[in-house]
Amino acid sequence: GGFLIRDDANGGVRRPVATLSGGETFLTSLSLALALSAQIQLRGEYPLRFFFLDEGFGTLDAELLDMVISALEKLHTQQLAVGVISHVQEIRTRLPRRLIVEPAEPSGRGTRVRLETM
């Protein structure tokens, strides 16, 4: 009744998802989210042009983080923008545009959103 992962980097061995590291779990979740998004795109009457990814990047080592960011940069096209929600500094410095959200204050000032570009 559980899920198995085929580990092609290890000769195609099948292993339970409980054996995945944090980075492997993140990559698996990212792959599933992107595949699901593609299927939704194919079935929709109106194409979605934006995809958000929320945190999880902190579980990645530097090499894996570089690989994920490179893959996300390749996904970004005229038809699809990928938004990343993260507090990981390496991501913040690498992405060319950022929406900075400043939360509302008790004094009554509302939430502020500003765009930063490199």
Side-chain angles (χ1 to χ4, degrees), residues 55-71:
E55 216 35 270
F57 298 96
T59 62
L60 306 177
D61 62 29
E63 183 179 332
L64 209 46
L65 182 61
D66 183 59
M67 182 175 71
V68 168
I69 294 173
S70 294

Side-chain angles (χ1 to χ4, degrees), residues 32 51 91:
L32 288 170
F51 185 83
I91 291 176

Side-chain angles (χ1 to χ4, degrees), residues 19-98:
T19 64
L20 296 176
S21 69
E24 290 171 327
T25 299
F26 177 82
L27 289 176
T28 301
S29 297
L30 176 60
S31 299
L32 288 170
L34 293 172
L36 180 59
S37 174
Q39 288 302 308
I40 291 170
Q41 289 283 350
L42 292 173
R43 294 186 179 162
E45 184 176 339
Y46 302 102
L48 301 173
R49 297 182 182 256
F50 205 88
F51 185 83
F52 267 112
L53 293 173
D54 193 1
E55 216 35 270
F57 298 96
T59 62
L60 306 177
D61 62 29
E63 183 179 332
L64 209 46
L65 182 61
D66 183 59
M67 182 175 71
V68 168
I69 294 173
S70 294
L72 293 176
E73 289 170 339
K74 290 176 186 173
L75 282 175
H76 187 89
T77 64
Q78 292 271 344
Q79 291 79 28
L80 178 67
V82 178
V84 175
I85 301 168
S86 182
H87 299 284
V88 175
Q89 188 61 36
E90 291 83 358
I91 291 176
R92 294 176 72 192
T93 57
R94 185 154 166 192
L95 299 178
R97 290 184 304 248
R98 293 178 288 285

